[in-house]
Amino acid sequence: MTWTSPLTLFQRGWTRHRDQDRPIRKVVSNLPFEDLRKREQPNRQYEGNAIKTNKYRLWSFLPMNLFEQFHRLANIYFVGLAILNFIPVVNAFQPEVALIPICIILALTAVKDGWEDFRRYQTDQQLNNMPCFIFRRRLMCFVERRWKDVRVGDFVKVLSNEIIPADILLLHTSDPNGVCHMETANLDGETNLKQRKVVPGFSTLGEPFQPQTFDSTVVCENPNNNLNLFKGFIERPDKRRSGFGIDSLLLRGCTVRNTDDAAGIVVYAGHETKSMLNNNGPRYKRSKIERKMNTDVLFCVLLLFFMCLIGALGHAIWLETFSTMPSYIVPDSNGNYISSALAGFYMFFTMIILLQVMIPVSLYVSIELVKMGQIFFITQDAELYDQELDSRVQCRALNITEDLGQIQYVFSDKTGTLTENKMVFKRCTIMGTEYCHEENAARLAVINGGGNEEEEVTIYQKTKLPPLFPLEELQDDHTGHKNHANTQVAAASRRRSKVAAGAQSDMAFSSPLETVVVPDRKLMLEVDHQMASIQTGPYLDFFLALAICNTVVVSTLTAQRQRVKGRRNSSYSGSSSHNMGQWFKISSLQKFFSSMRFKRNRETMADPFAIDEDEPDTFHISSVSDSRPGQKVISSEGKDKRSLSRSEEVCYEAHSPDEAALIHAAKAYGFTMVERTPRYVTVKLPNETLLKFEVLDVLTFDSTRRRMSIIVRHPHTNEIIMYTKGADSAVMEKLGNVFSVESAAKRIAVRTQKDLDMYARDGLRTLCFAKKVISEQEFKAWFTSRQEALSAIDEKEERLMETANDIENNLTLLGATGIEDRLQENVPETIQALRRAGMQVWVLTGDKPETAVNIAYSCKLLDHEDLVFTFTTNKKSVCKMRLEDTLSEVRRTWGGLGLDPQFRGYNSTFTGPLMEPSIGLVIDGPTLNMALSEDLVEQFVELCKHCRAVLCCRVTPLQKSSVVKVIRQKLRVMTLAVGDGANDVNMIQAADVGIGVSGQEGMQAVMASDFAITRFKHLQRLLLVHGHWCYSRLANMVIYFFYKNVAYVNLLFWYQFFCGFSGTAMIDYWLMIFFNLFFTSAPPIMFGIMDKEVSDSTLLSLPELYRRGQHSEGYRRSTFWIAILDAFYQSLVCFFIPYWTYNDSDIGIFSFGTPMNTVSLFTIILHLAIEIKSWTVVHWVIMVGSVLVYFILTLAYSAICISCNPPSDPYWIMHKQMADPMFYLVCVLTTVVALLPRYTLRVLKGTLAPSLHLRARQLERLPSSCREQQIREWRGFRDTCISASLSSTACPSA
Amino acid sequence: MKNEGETAQRPDNTAFTQQRLPAWQPILSAGIVIPGFLVIGLAFIGIGVGLFLTSQTIQVLEMDYTGVATDSSCFRCSMTSSQNCTCEITFSLDKLFTGPVFFYYGLSNYYQNFRKYGVSLDYYQLSGDTQYFTSPQSVCSPYSYDNQNRPIVPCGAIANSMFNDTFELYQIINGTKNLVPLDGKGIAWWTDYNIKYRNPSFVNGSLANAFAGTVKPINWPKPAYDLDSTDPNNNGFLNQDFLVWMRRAALPQFRKLYRRITEGNYAAGLPAGNYSMTVHYNYPVLTFDGRKKVVFSNVSWMGGRNDFLGIAYLVVGSLCVVMSIIMLIVYAKFKFSDDDA
C-alpha cells in the first residue's frame, strides 16, 4: 500500500543515487551538531523518520486522482467516448448526458480512493505522532519526542512493550547480559521472541548509557529490505572496529519485550527502515480466466469495429441513393450538405458512441464485486474453520479465487504441510546403542489412536480434579474453575497444539505432546549410573548437547505473563487471554504431571513403570493412578514441591520444533536448561546441581553446512568443548578417527549409521550429535580469525562459513536422535482426492530421500505397486543417461496403450481403470539441479508428465521455486504450491496459486501466500468445492456478461438499418444507462457469487468433477462464440418481432423502443434463469426484483420526465404501452422465440448427452443411501454408463 | 465473553453463509419439458387463432396517391412543383366499413427517425417559453433563423417538414357529393396536448401577438398561430396535426392519424357506396422516392390490422407442439435404451 508521490520518489531516487556512489552508509552521532542548522548536520542526507504513505493532499486530490484513474484503459475508453460526444458532427447522445457513466465511475472510484488514502493518512499521523525518547545533549537526558522527530544519528531509548520507532543499532540495554528481546509479530507475524545483543564492546554493564560520549562512526550497508541480513561495523576514533550483524539491530515496528529499556543509535529511519522497505502492497495476480477474457474483450473490440464500419458504409451508401436531399436530412448550419463519404466517416465515430456497451467495461467492476462475494463465502466456510487456532481460511489475494478451480499441479512441502510439524522425540542412539523408548511410543500411540477422545477427557478431568498446584491456583484462580466446564475443549485442543491457540504459535512448540517424553528405562539407568559415578561420560555429553546446542530461549512464566498483557493492547492482538490462561493451566499441569511421574520413576527405579506396553487403556488407568502417589509426594515434601515448581517455571521458545522436541527430551532425562544468555548457558543436571557454561561462540545453523555448533567452557573442568548438532551426513563427514582401521569410534559410527538408516526408514527425522574438545591455543587462534570475519563487511557470510568449517572437524560422535513428525489428519485422503480430481501432486522437501519416501508411502503419494524411479547421482552424464532410459521405457509403456498422457486421466473417468503402471519419481536436490539444466530440462519435464507422483528430496528453497517455474512454463499448466515455512516462500510466490499453511514455523509462508489455511486437509475442500464453484460461477458469469452486452447493444445496431444508419437510438438514453446499472447488473453478480451447480458433498465425493476446470471447459473460446452467436440471434428476434408487429403503423420511435427494451430485459433475465442451476431465496428475490425494479423505475421515469432528455421525451410512453395488450403479446412471443433454441438445446443435451455435472446433479436427487451406492459404483466402475445405472431399478428407493 | 473470545473467528453457521440455503434445482431433461412445451404450444396456437381472427375482422383500405403512375389522378400534381394542386381519388365500398373509422395518411421511405432530424427542435419554444422565440436553441440550426435573421417559431427540421397535404372526403350519393365530417380532435396524445406542449400566453388577448417578431417555418404556408382557421383552440403548438407530426415515427414506412370519422351519419362507419376524396397535394416525396397514401381503418383491441403477430403465434405454437413430440420421441428412445442397458 505504500505509495509515494513522484516528488518523493524523485528525491529518494536522488538520495539512493548518491548512496550508490558509496555502497555503505556512515552514521555519526547527531549530538555534537545538535544546535547546528539542518544543512550542517552530518546525517542530513538520510531520510527522517516521518512517513507518508498517503498519495494525495487535499489540494492535489482531484487532479492526481483523475490522473491516476486515467491510467486505466477502461476509463480512457469512457472519456474518449464522452469527448466524441462533444464533437457536434459525431455525437450520438446529448453530450451532457453522455458524461454520466464516466462521471459515475470516476466519482465512485475517487470516493473509494480518497477514503483509503485518508485512512492511510490517519495511520501515518498516528504513527508519526507516537511518543519516543530521544537523547538531547542540552538536557543531557532522554526527552520525549515524537516518532517523526527521530533522525538518523539520534540516540533513542525504547522501553519495555514499546514499539521501536526506527531501525536502531542496539548499544545499551538494561539487561545485565546486554541482550534485549524483541517481538517481530508486526513485521512477519512470528511471535516468538528474538534476542538482540548490544554491539560487542559497547555493553557498558550496569552503567547508565551515555550517548554524549559516543564518538565512533557507524558504518553499515545501504537500506535494503532483507530482514535477516544486516552488517556493518563501528569504527572508533582510534580505528578499532567492532562488527555487528542483524542481531544488534532493533527493527522498526517490532516490540521490545522482557527488557526494561534498550537504547541505541538510529541507522535507518522512516521509509528507509527495513520494515517500510518490506511493506509492499498486495500482489496483483491476474487469473487465467481474466487473461482469457481479455482476449475476448479484444474480439469484442473487433466486432465493434466491424459493426461501426457497417454503420459508416451503410450511411454513406444510403446518402448516395438520394439525388436531392429530402427534407428529413438536415444540412449543417450553413445549409450545405456534407459529402456522403465524410458523413460516413463521422458516422463511424457516432456508431462507436452508440454501441459502446459492446465493450463490457462494467464487466471488470462486476468481476471485482463477484470475487469479493466469493471470498466472503470462502472465508465464511465453517468447514475450513479451525477451532483450535480460531482461524478461518484467509484469502490474501483478492482476484484469483477461480484459479483454485483450475489447478493441475500441486506442489507441496512436506514438513508442516503434510505433517504436523510437531516434532516428537521418538528414539535415540548413544554411542552406538539404540534406545527405542517403548514407553514413549506407547504414550504416543494412545494419543494417536483415534476415537479415544472421550477417554482422554476423563483422564484429564481426573488429573485436574485435585488442586495440585498452589501456584496455578494463585495465577489462574479465575480460569481455574472454568476448566471443568471446558475440559472437552481442552482435551480436543490438547491434541493439536493448545499453545498455538492464541494468535499464532504463541509459546512455540511446547504442547504437551512434545514436552512430555517418557524416558527409556535402560537409558535412564545408564544416565543415572554415569551421573552417580563419574559425573561425566558420553551419555551426559549427549544430553548436555541436546540441552545446550540449540538456540532455544528460556523465558520465565512472569515474562510470558507480561507479554500476554502487553499483547492485549497491541494492535496485533486477536489472541484471547482466556485461551492463554487455560493453556497455562494445562501445559504446566502437563509438565508437572510428567515430572512427577519422572520423579516417581526415579524413586522406584527398580520397580518398572506400571505401564502395560501393549494396552493403551491400562496406560490410562496407570496414569490416573499415577497422580495419586505424586500428590502424596508433594504434600509430604513441601520443600521439594517449591523447588520443583520453581524449576518448572521455565518456558522454552524455540525457533524450530526439532529443537523444542530435543530440549524437552533432555529435560525428561533431567537435563534442564534453565537460562540462556549470550554468554552463559545454565543447565540443571538430574542431581539438581546447576552447571553454568560460558558460551564462547555459537556457529549458527545454515542450510549449506546443515549443522550448528556451540563452543562452551565447562565450569568444572575448564575445558573448551564444542557440541555440534546437524544432519547425519553433515556431521558424519566431519568425524575424526573414523578412518582408522578398527577403532571404537568407527564401530560407533557404523552402528549409529545403521540406526540412522533405520530411523529414516521409519520416517523419522534424524539429527547427529558430536562433541569436540578444543585446546586453548587452537581456540585462541581460531577465535581471532573468527573475530576478523565477524567485522568484515565484504563476503562476511563466506568468511564466517569458512571459520565455522575450520573448527568443525575431528568431531567425536555422541549419538543421534530420531524425531517423529506425524502426518496431519486426512492427508492420504486429501492427496487421493486431489489425484482423482486430476491433479498431479508433487512433494518437495528438504528431508533426506529415505524419510521423504517413507512419508510418501504413508500419505499414499506413492503406492507399493507403483513403479518408482529414483534419481540420485552426482554426475550429469549419469543423470542424462538415466533420464533417457527411463523416458524411453515410459514411452514404450504409454505407446503400448496408445494414449496421450495428458488426457489419460480424463479419459479414464469413463473408459474405466486403465491397466496403467503408476510411475513415481524420486529425485534429490543435486540431481534435480542437473535435470533442470538447459539441455535436460525438456526430457525431465516430459518424464514428469508421465509420473503419477514426483518426490523431490533435499531441495533448497530456490530449487523448489525453480521446479514450480519450470513445470508452469514448460507444460503451461496451472500450478499450486502449498507450504508452511520460510523455505516455501519462493515456491509459493512462483506458483499460480500460493497457499500458506499457518503452522508452526512462523508466518512468512502465509504472508507470501494467496490463501492461507490451517491444515493440509482443507486443501481438498478449498480446491474441490470452493475452487470448483468459483471457477464455474465466474466462467458462467463472464460468458453471460459478454452475451448480455452484445444482445442488448445489437438492438440498436439492427435499428440502424431502418434509420439510415444515422445513429438513432430508439431507447431513451437514461433507460439504457438504467438497464445496465440497475435492471441487469444484480442478477449476474448474484449468479457469479451464489450459483451452485453441484453441492459440496457431491463435489467432495466425486473429485472427478473438478476436471472441468482443469481443462477450462467452463470458459472456452467456443463457449464465448456460442454466447455471442446466441446474443446475435436473440437480438435479431427481439428486434424483428416488434418490427414486423409495428411496421407501417403509427408508432413513435420511443414507443417502438419500449417493448424492445422490455423484451430484451425479459430475454436477458430469463436467459440467466436457464443458466442458474439452483434457485435459492436470494435468486428469486433478485431475479423478480430486477423485473419489478424495471417496471417501477421505467414507469416512474416516464411519469416524471416530461422533457428531461430531449429528444427522447419519455413522458407517458411506458404507461401508454402498458395499456396496450399488443405490448404484452409482443413481449411474450419474443421472449419465447428468443429463448427457445437455447432452452431446447439444453434440454436435448441434458437428455442425450448429459455432462458429468448433470449426472452428479441427478445423483443428488436420489435418496442418500441410494446416492452413496451410486457414487460407489461410479467410482468403482466408471466404465459403465452412469445414466444407465441411475434409473435402473437396482437401487431401491429408500 | 470468554467463550466468545475463544471462537471469535468462527464463521456464522447460517444457511446463507454456509451456502446451504434451500434451493430449487431444476434439471432440464426431455421428460420434464414435454408438458411445458405442449402447454405453451397450445396456448400460443390459441392466442394465434384469436389474434388472426381479430385481425381479419379489421377492415383496411389503403390508397396510394403519390401519383407515380401516369394514369393516376394525382400524376399531374406530382409533376408540378406548384402549390395548391388538387387531385381527386375515387373509391367504392361494397359493404359497410364499420366505425369508428380512422383516417390515416401514410408515408414510406420517409426517415423521421434520422438522428439529426430528430433532435432538430426546441422544446422550450414548444412549451411556450417566449425567451426561446427570439433566440432558438442551436439544435434547430439551420432552421432557426430565416435569411433575414429573423427567428423561426417553431424552429427546427421536424416542424419545418410538417406534412401539409389535406384531404376532404365525400360520399357520392346519387351523383352529389356529401361531405363526410372528419373529426380532427383527440388525434394526438392526450399528454402532448395537455401537458407537454404549451402555447405562449396570449399577448393582448391574441395568440398572434405572442408570436410577434418571429417568422413561420420556411415550408409552412401559414404561421403557427393560424394553422386552423376554423378552431382557435387548434392553433399554435397545440394544433393536433402538428402534435401528431411532432411525434416522430419509428420506422421509415409509417402512417399517422389524420382524422377520425365519428360524427353524424358516419358514426357507425362508412356505408357501402362510392366515395371521392379530394387531395390538396402539397407535400413532395418523389424527390427521395417516397410514397404517400391514405389509409382507412377501423381498430380493435389489438389496434390496427396486423396479421403478422397472429401468424407468428400460430407458427411458434405449432413449433412448440412439434418440439414436444420430438421430445417425447427422444424421451421414449432414451427410456428405451435405458431399459436396454
Side-chain angles (χ1 to χ4, degrees), chain A residues 455-680:
Chain A
E455 286 169 294
E456 284 170 35
V457 174
T458 53
I459 304 170
Y460 284 92
Q461 264 173 342
K462 278 180 192 164
T463 49
K464 234 172 271 146
L465 280 171
L468 291 173
F469 233 165
L471 186 79
E472 289 286 344
E473 292 283 285
L474 227 112
Q475 287 181 336
D476 284 312
D477 54 347
H478 60 293
T479 52
H481 50 83
K482 265 244 148 89
N483 250 334
H484 297 297
N486 286 332
T487 38
Q488 182 72 50
V489 180
S493 313
R494 189 202 39 72
R495 214 130 97 87
R496 302 275 317 279
S497 146
K498 185 70 196 175
V499 183
Q504 279 85 22
S505 57
D506 256 300
M507 275 136 281
F509 326 122
S510 30
S511 77
L513 192 61
E514 294 111 64
T515 56
V516 185
V517 175
V518 183
D520 189 88
R521 258 171 287 150
K522 223 166 58 193
L523 182 56
M524 202 70 222
L525 275 172
E526 290 279 357
V527 173
D528 267 350
H529 176 67
Q530 280 196 351
M531 242 357 264
S533 58
I534 47 173
Q535 294 274 312
T536 175
Y539 286 91
L540 300 194
D541 271 330
F542 178 77
F543 284 110
L544 277 178
L546 241 61
I548 65 172
C549 187
N550 51 43
T551 54
V552 174
V553 179
V554 184
S555 64
T556 54
L557 270 183
T558 42
Q560 295 282 3
R561 282 274 108 182
Q562 195 180 345
R563 244 180 67 184
V564 173
K565 278 179 193 140
R567 180 168 274 288
R568 222 177 269 169
N569 35 18
S570 83
S571 62
Y572 191 73
S573 189
S575 71
S576 78
S577 54
H578 173 62
N579 258 348
M580 304 287 287
Q582 196 163 352
W583 179 80
F584 280 119
K585 183 91 182 165
I586 294 190
S587 76
S588 21
L589 189 81
Q590 277 294 309
K591 269 180 254 162
F592 176 60
F593 181 46
S594 72
S595 63
M596 231 164 28
R597 197 185 302 151
F598 163 66
K599 253 188 122 47
R600 179 180 169 274
N601 192 12
R602 284 177 45 99
E603 280 166 3
T604 58
M605 199 59 75
D607 176 56
F609 236 35
I611 291 174
D612 190 330
E613 282 92 350
D614 298 324
E615 283 192 54
D617 282 359
T618 44
F619 172 74
H620 289 185
I621 296 158
S622 73
S623 67
V624 172
S625 63
D626 225 17
S627 66
R628 235 164 272 141
Q631 205 183 343
K632 228 179 276 164
V633 171
I634 288 174
S635 53
S636 61
E637 304 171 71
K639 214 161 84 187
D640 188 77
K641 180 191 76 188
R642 213 165 300 130
S643 74
L644 183 83
S645 57
R646 205 196 71 80
S647 72
E648 288 306 324
E649 268 178 51
V650 293
C651 262
Y652 294 126
E653 304 214 12
H655 285 253
S656 82
D658 298 83
E659 291 194 335
L662 291 177
I663 200 156
H664 283 113
K667 201 171 137 196
Y669 284 92
F671 295 80
T672 317
M673 186 180 74
V674 287
E675 196 185 13
R676 173 188 292 276
T677 68
R679 302 185 49 195
Y680 293 101

Side-chain angles (χ1 to χ4, degrees), chain A residues 303-532:
Chain A
L303 208 60
L304 175 70
F305 178 80
F306 277 115
M307 283 161 70
C308 293
L309 202 64
I310 290 172
L313 288 175
H315 188 62
I317 292 166
W318 181 74
L319 282 179
E320 277 299 313
T321 58
F322 299 110
S323 43
T324 56
M325 284 300 162
S327 53
Y328 48 80
I329 295 180
V330 183
D332 65 11
S333 49
N334 302 323
N336 304 319
Y337 294 97
I338 52 172
S339 74
S340 350
L342 191 60
F345 177 73
Y346 288 151
M347 192 47 65
F348 182 81
F349 296 100
T350 308
M351 286 289 169
I352 291 181
I353 301 171
L354 187 74
L355 307 176
Q356 54 176 297
V357 191
M358 192 84 186
I359 315 286
V361 178
S362 49
L363 177 57
Y364 291 96
V365 185
S366 307
I367 284 180
E368 262 173 46
L369 288 174
V370 163
K371 286 187 179 169
M372 270 169 56
Q374 291 181 341
I375 283 170
F376 170 79
F377 278 121
I378 293 178
T379 50
Q380 283 291 329
D381 192 337
E383 303 270 320
L384 298 180
Y385 168 77
D386 190 307
Q387 186 173 349
E388 286 87 57
L389 289 174
D390 187 30
S391 96
R392 312 171 176 188
V393 57
Q394 294 175 47
C395 299
R396 301 175 54 83
L398 303 182
N399 42 13
I400 55 167
T401 46
E402 73 280 6
D403 273 355
L404 288 175
Q406 295 190 276
I407 301 301
Q408 289 157 297
Y409 276 73
V410 174
F411 297 89
S412 172
D413 173 44
K414 185 179 78 69
T415 312
T417 308
L418 298 179
T419 62
E420 293 269 11
N421 202 10
K422 300 266 184 58
M423 303 301 170
V424 186
F425 181 84
K426 255 288 183 65
R427 351 176 55 158
C428 65
T429 165
I430 304 172
M431 301 310 286
T433 317
E434 215 269 323
Y435 298 96
C436 59
H437 288 75
E438 282 174 347
E439 298 89 344
N440 198 35
R443 183 188 65 92
L444 291 173
V446 173
I447 289 164
N448 277 335
N452 54 1
E453 204 94 325
E454 270 173 43
E455 286 169 294
E456 284 170 35
V457 174
T458 53
I459 304 170
Y460 284 92
Q461 264 173 342
K462 278 180 192 164
T463 49
K464 234 172 271 146
L465 280 171
L468 291 173
F469 233 165
L471 186 79
E472 289 286 344
E473 292 283 285
L474 227 112
Q475 287 181 336
D476 284 312
D477 54 347
H478 60 293
T479 52
H481 50 83
K482 265 244 148 89
N483 250 334
H484 297 297
N486 286 332
T487 38
Q488 182 72 50
V489 180
S493 313
R494 189 202 39 72
R495 214 130 97 87
R496 302 275 317 279
S497 146
K498 185 70 196 175
V499 183
Q504 279 85 22
S505 57
D506 256 300
M507 275 136 281
F509 326 122
S510 30
S511 77
L513 192 61
E514 294 111 64
T515 56
V516 185
V517 175
V518 183
D520 189 88
R521 258 171 287 150
K522 223 166 58 193
L523 182 56
M524 202 70 222
L525 275 172
E526 290 279 357
V527 173
D528 267 350
H529 176 67
Q530 280 196 351
M531 242 357 264

Side-chain angles (χ1 to χ4, degrees), chain A residues 20-68:
Chain A
Q20 269 160 7
D21 295 344
R22 300 175 304 160
I24 49 167
R25 157 176 288 212
K26 282 189 179 162
V27 178
V28 297
S29 165
N30 279 341
L31 296 176
F33 311 94
E34 193 172 296
D35 302 320
L36 297 181
R37 273 174 302 158
K38 189 167 183 225
R39 70 166 69 146
E40 281 145 5
Q41 293 280 343
N43 300 318
R44 62 186 176 276
Q45 75 268 33
Y46 305 129
E47 261 191 58
N49 200 37
I51 53 160
K52 179 178 168 297
T53 53
N54 55 321
K55 305 175 196 178
Y56 315 114
R57 290 169 191 286
L58 212 57
W59 51 268
S60 67
F61 174 72
L62 211 62
M64 277 184 61
N65 183 259
L66 285 180
F67 178 74
E68 282 263 297

